[in-house]
Amino acid sequence: QVRLVESGGGSVQAGGSLRLSCAVSGTTYSTYRAAWFRQVPGNEREAVAVIYDIGGTHYGDFVKGRFTISQDSAQKTVDLQMNNLKPEDTAIYYCAADFKGDTSIGWRDRRSYQHWGQGTQVTVSP
């Protein structure tokens, strides 16, 4: 059974940095793409960044060069380095994995991903 486990969340002051990590286990297959989403209670889950198996990346408009997504295919981990954090980045961050590769569905669409982690809380204080 595929399992995604996030780690690295926490509390920081504005301007600080955090590195989130997502460990993928329970499968010998590689992801077509893996992504980070975030959600504030009461709001829709929002796409933060995606990385494809060949290494291409995309980011949400609000990232504006502050975050970097990376992966280690051998270790089956997907990381999100977040710099210059702002209070509005406060949310629960979720890792998601797509093994099917249906390119008719965009990376920002939650339906693209078959597996999700439980989430890790990121809190940024002013």
Side-chain angles (χ1 to χ4, degrees), residues 11-28:
S11 298
V12 294
Q13 290 188 320
S17 299
L18 283 173
R19 187 176 184 89
L20 306 183
S21 187
C22 173
V24 181
S25 62
T27 179
T28 58

Side-chain angles (χ1 to χ4, degrees), residues 59-99:
Y59 296 90
D61 293 341
F62 58 87
V63 169
K64 296 183 179 178
R66 299 181 297 127
F67 299 174
T68 302
I69 189 171
S70 60
Q71 65 186 352
D72 184 327
S73 299
Q75 296 297 323
K76 291 189 179 296
T77 58
V78 180
D79 291 352
L80 184 69
Q81 176 67 42
M82 303 188 294
N83 299 326
N84 191 20
L85 283 161
K86 304 176 181 180
E88 51 263 43
D89 293 319
T90 295
I92 300 173
Y93 283 70
Y94 297 90
C95 178
D98 171 20
F99 290 89

Side-chain angles (χ1 to χ4, degrees), residues 37-47 87-92 94 110:
F37 283 71
R38 68 185 188 183
Q39 188 170 22
V40 175
N43 289 2
E44 292 290 319
R45 195 166 292 190
E46 177 180 44
E88 51 263 43
D89 293 319
T90 295
I92 300 173
Y94 297 90
R110 293 178 57 181

